[in-house]
Amino acid sequence: MDASSSPARPKMLPRLPRSLPSSHSIASTFSPGSSTPGSWTVSPWNRDTPDTSPPSSDAGSPKLQAKQADDSGRISPVEGSLDGQPRFGVVRSICFVGAGFVGGPTAAVIAYHNPQIQVNVVDLNEERIKSWNSAHLPIHEDGLLKVVRTARDGALNKTLVLPGLPRAIELKQRQPNLVFSTRVVDAIEEADIIFICVNTPTKTHGIGAGSMADVSAIESATRTVAKHAKEGAIIVEKSTVPCGTAQMIQDILRYYRPDVEFEVLSNPEFLAEGTAVENLMHPDRILIGSAQTLAGLRAATVVKDVYGAWVPAARIVTVNTFSSELAKLVANTMLAQRISSVNAVSAMCEELGLGADVEDVSLAIGKDARLGSKFLQAGVGFGGSCFEKDILNLAYLARELHLDVVADYWLAVLRMNEDQRRRYARNVVRELNGSLRGKKIAILGFAFKDGTNDTRNSIAVHVIKDLAMEMPREIAIFDPGCASAEIREEVEKAGLTASQLERIKILTNWRDCVQEASAVCILTQWKQFRGRKLGSATSSNKKARKLAADWATSCVADKADISEMDILALEELMRDKSSATTGDDPLERLAPLTPCPEECSHCRIGSAEAHDQEPVDWAEVAGMMQEPRWVFDGRNVVNRLELQSLGFRVRGIGKGF
């Protein structure tokens, strides 16, 4: 069908059930003037809602001059079986629509493990695509640079002679198979599988504002996919979406292409910022939801085979589409629930006194196999772009289903989180004699968690807002992973007055931050805030490295076909055998990084704003601060007794002493 022609309207589409949050917007699916790719960025909605992606980072990789794969690949029924039935053919091309936190890393890891598949990542944000194709990736994730370089730039032919291996191993040259571009239509037209990974923020106005997910970008992207996807392409919703969104996507496809059958799958992401690459490399599970029809199950098998290149089959779970959509929201909500639960216990420990310690309680209950130890670390609260949004979405769904008690139950998780951070700020003011006037407060950590540069909905901005109401002399902020401009942008959105804003200073090293401060507030659990004695590799990491090295010695050497997972094991063997090995390319198989142009703005900012990565020397800090030298440890990362011996007053979370 010609992209410019208007489709003939089919028979009236069935309305989605009233209880589904996405049902309100089905009418807008057919609104004029919003069916082109350009509508993703120029629509009034997108100007009023937050960005999908975390802000830019200081990590880098070279510009790719990669070849484009031909579009001869196409999914079609071929010989094979799914319980004795024919299955789809070989996947040769995959398209990711959206190059944000979900689309970019997921595409990179899929391309990394499937060198035979051409993976195109498209986005209408030219600056974001330029970042993916420059020396500065648009998001900061440990290990992402190496994965992108391998898939995007290819790898060199390498002969390895490593200690412990009985023979030399030949690593074949790898051709690039990952491309980032703004060629939206071209990439969609040649794709066998299309992942939709666009923004679904909480609505800011209208019905459901402040609670309901806005699926406008999903609608817009789906219209473009519907017009240009080839017959037989599999459409996969990857964004976090309200329940029923897959049906909405199917309705849009049927409206524009009534004579073509598309299968729509749900494949939600379960990535934690800061460990996204690790989550993708070694997932707890891959969830694929599909229609429980023969065609739907066939499509699910195709996607399962893509992940099967590196994920064990037992960890790939297939369910129906609605269950998959709901499982994503419930997973994040229950993780947040555990955090709020242990934070509720921390409040009780603090008020009980008598030596009650929330860390002791967490240790005790974490030994219960029915509970486990994860997400039982008390703190100043959770932030970020996911938990709060997904809880609100789930609660809104419950309210629409007339389950008010259920909705209130989930919203209590958010109320507990809000109370925890406000109680923290109140404690700072109370311990400083009820007033911050004339005092400097140092904030260590602004990102919502360590290992990332994401400042969206950070706990720090809420605490800073509460402290700024007390009109201190200065609030100094230092975060080793965030650019000053990004911190400033978030602070300015907090609704502070001009007088309050002028008291906030953003600094690039911890020494300037703590100089002459009366109190230090630790709000992000960066390892360097623990002190000089910490931050080295843990024994568990060393054990894992040793296991990988042993496996490489015993298994990889005998394999004729070396996978990227095998190469990772060989890299651990190299690190285990050679203490001099550093960097993320110990085998030296990656193409050299292409230098940035002289006018690169990221390089200018980076050189002018080199963040201090040195661990905090608390003995030195003690001599730089003013009395009473309070440390309010919102993440329980410092050694309380050690700091007290240096003359600090220390207040952690959930410490009843």
Side-chain angles (χ1 to χ4, degrees):
M1 181 182 296
D2 183 76
S4 62
S5 62
S6 300
R9 180 182 285 273
K11 294 180 180 179
M12 182 64 68
L13 296 173
R15 292 179 59 84
L16 296 181
R18 174 184 170 279
S19 60
L20 301 182
S22 56
S23 64
H24 81 287
S25 57
I26 192 67
S28 65
T29 296
F30 311 118
S31 58
S34 59
S35 61
T36 63
S39 66
W40 301 353
T41 54
V42 301
S43 68
W45 169 78
N46 267 327
R47 286 197 293 270
D48 294 336
T49 54
D51 197 354
T52 307
S53 300
S56 61
S57 73
D58 298 328
S61 60
K63 183 177 180 181
L64 171 66
Q65 302 294 335
K67 68 179 184 66
Q68 296 287 334
D70 62 47
D71 59 354
S72 59
R74 171 178 183 155
I75 296 179
S76 58
V78 295
E79 293 298 320
S81 67
L82 177 67
D83 296 331
Q85 300 297 329
R87 55 179 287 176
F88 288 98
V90 176
V91 174
R92 295 187 176 89
S93 178
I94 295 176
C95 174
F96 281 78
V97 180
F101 173 74
V102 174
T106 305
V109 172
I110 285 179
Y112 180 80
H113 289 292
N114 292 275
Q116 77 285 1
I117 299 177
Q118 177 68 24
V119 178
N120 293 304
V121 186
V122 294
D123 200 295
L124 294 170
N125 187 323
E126 294 184 1
E127 288 302 314
R128 184 179 300 163
I129 291 298
K130 189 181 297 183
S131 294
W132 282 110
N133 286 325
S134 74
H136 308 277
L137 299 184
I139 63 175
H140 171 72
E141 284 291 332
D142 290 341
L144 181 59
L145 171 59
K146 177 188 174 182
V147 172
V148 170
R149 288 180 63 188
T150 302
R152 193 192 61 185
D153 306 332
L156 307 175
N157 186 70
K158 197 78 176 178
T159 301
L160 302 178
V161 180
L162 300 178
L165 296 184
R167 63 175 179 84
I169 294 181
E170 186 75 20
L171 300 183
K172 298 178 182 179
Q173 181 179 8
R174 173 178 174 143
Q175 296 298 320
N177 68 315
L178 175 64
V179 173
F180 297 93
S181 77
T182 56
R183 299 188 313 106
V184 176
V185 172
D186 292 344
I188 289 174
E189 286 178 341
E190 67 185 47
D192 301 313
I193 303 176
I194 301 167
F195 288 85
I196 298 177
C197 314
V198 296
N199 197 13
T200 55
T202 302
K203 287 186 68 176
T204 58
H205 51 267
I207 297 175
S211 298
M212 182 177 175
D214 194 322
V215 295
S216 300
I218 294 276
E219 291 176 322
S220 182
T222 303
R223 283 191 286 268
T224 303
V225 169
K227 290 183 175 184
H228 302 288
K230 65 186 179 183
E231 184 175 350
I234 298 172
I235 316 302
V236 183
E237 56 173 22
K238 193 71 175 172
S239 305
T240 301
V241 295
C243 296
T245 301
Q247 182 60 55
M248 180 195 77
I249 292 173
Q250 188 68 264
D251 289 342
I252 295 174
L253 293 169
R254 286 172 180 163
Y255 174 78
Y256 284 97
R257 304 281 289 280
D259 299 326
V260 178
E261 289 294 327
F262 292 102
E263 286 302 317
V264 179
L265 307 183
S266 168
N267 176 219
E269 52 85 15
F270 296 98
L271 308 181
E273 290 197 48
T275 58
V277 174
E278 176 66 19
N279 299 152
L280 287 163
M281 289 287 195
H282 305 284
D284 294 328
R285 79 291 202 195
I286 296 294
L287 184 61
I288 302 172
S290 70
Q292 299 301 289
T293 62
L294 181 58
L297 295 175
R298 289 176 186 167
T301 300
V302 173
V303 176
K304 182 177 180 179
D305 288 345
V306 172
Y307 284 108
W310 80 97
V311 180
R315 294 194 177 187
I316 304 178
V317 182
T318 54
V319 296
N320 68 68
T321 309
F322 196 98
S323 296
S324 176
E325 293 173 335
L326 184 60
K328 165 61 179 177
L329 298 178
V330 173
N332 274 354
T333 300
M334 294 192 74
L335 291 175
Q337 179 195 45
R338 281 177 70 96
I339 296 173
S340 281
S341 294
V342 76
N343 281 342
V345 176
S346 76
M348 296 179 68
C349 288
E350 292 175 23
E351 297 305 319
L352 277 170
L354 305 175
D357 188 339
V358 71
E359 291 186 311
D360 292 342
V361 177
S362 295
L363 176 64
I365 65 176
K367 294 295 184 181
D368 189 327
R370 296 168 299 175
L371 296 173
S373 60
K374 293 185 177 180
F375 281 79
L376 289 179
Q377 291 71 45
V380 70
F382 59 80
S385 63
C386 295
F387 281 4
E388 182 173 321
K389 181 186 76 170
D390 292 349
I391 293 170
L392 291 170
N393 199 339
L394 191 62
Y396 185 85
L397 173 60
R399 198 80 73 191
E400 285 287 288
L401 294 170
H402 309 293
L403 300 172
D404 291 341
V405 174
V406 175
D408 292 340
Y409 174 78
W410 293 124
L411 290 175
V413 174
L414 290 181
R415 287 195 293 271
M416 180 64 231
N417 191 59
E418 181 180 353
D419 181 71
Q420 184 78 346
R421 69 193 185 214
R422 287 186 171 175
R423 194 167 58 84
Y424 175 91
R426 288 197 302 268
N427 286 336
V428 172
V429 177
R430 184 173 63 183
E431 297 292 2
L432 290 172
N433 302 316
S435 175
L436 301 186
R437 284 194 174 274
K439 298 166 186 173
K440 174 180 176 179
I441 307 299
I443 305 292
L444 293 183
F446 192 89
F448 88 92
K449 64 180 291 187
D450 59 322
T452 180
N453 62 332
D454 194 349
T455 60
R456 294 173 297 170
N457 196 31
S458 168
I459 282 292
V461 76
H462 296 287
V463 172
I464 289 168
K465 181 178 181 179
D466 288 344
L467 296 179
M469 300 292 288
E470 296 290 327
M471 303 301 284
R473 171 169 56 88
E474 180 181 332
I475 298 178
I477 305 170
F478 166 68
D479 189 292
C482 300
S484 297
E486 292 156 1
I487 295 176
R488 174 65 63 181
E489 181 180 356
E490 286 298 314
V491 171
E492 289 177 348
K493 291 191 296 186
L496 300 177
T497 66
S499 178
Q500 291 167 341
L501 281 172
E502 68 183 14
R503 299 166 191 269
I504 297 175
K505 310 296 181 186
I506 302 167
L507 304 167
T508 58
N509 66 83
W510 58 262
R511 287 183 174 84
D512 289 343
C513 185
V514 303
Q515 183 70 46
E516 297 184 352
S518 298
V520 170
C521 298
I522 302 175
L523 300 180
T524 308
Q525 59 269 39
W526 291 102
K527 289 182 179 179
Q528 68 198 82
F529 296 160
R530 301 177 185 179
R532 289 188 179 278
K533 296 181 180 179
L534 300 173
S536 58
T538 64
S539 58
S540 60
N541 288 338
K542 292 178 180 178
K543 183 178 180 181
R545 179 176 295 176
K546 183 66 165 57
L547 289 173
D550 291 344
W551 183 79
T553 303
S554 60
C555 301
V556 176
D558 297 327
K559 297 181 71 172
D561 209 7
I562 306 293
S563 70
E564 288 295 341
M565 293 299 279
D566 297 328
I567 293 173
L568 290 175
L570 291 171
E571 291 177 345
E572 294 304 332
L573 176 61
M574 173 67 82
R575 293 189 179 98
D576 186 61
K577 299 297 183 182
S578 175
S579 58
T581 301
T582 59
D584 61 359
D585 185 25
L587 302 181
E588 299 180 350
R589 63 187 288 258
L590 299 183
L593 287 166
T594 302
C596 289
E598 292 184 4
E599 65 275 11
C600 177
S601 59
H602 293 284
C603 290
R604 288 201 308 272
I605 294 173
S607 59
E609 192 180 275
H611 286 283
D612 188 357
Q613 302 296 324
E614 178 187 4
V616 174
D617 185 339
W618 287 104
E620 183 179 348
V621 173
M624 301 173 69
M625 290 180 62
Q626 293 183 351
E627 289 288 347
R629 291 204 295 257
W630 268 105
V631 173
F632 296 95
D633 187 0
R635 298 299 180 183
N636 289 340
V637 298
V638 300
N639 186 315
R640 179 180 60 87
L641 295 177
E642 180 180 315
L643 264 63
Q644 286 177 340
S645 70
L646 294 173
F648 291 99
R649 302 184 189 186
V650 182
R651 178 161 185 156
I653 299 294
K655 308 293 183 180
F657 39 74

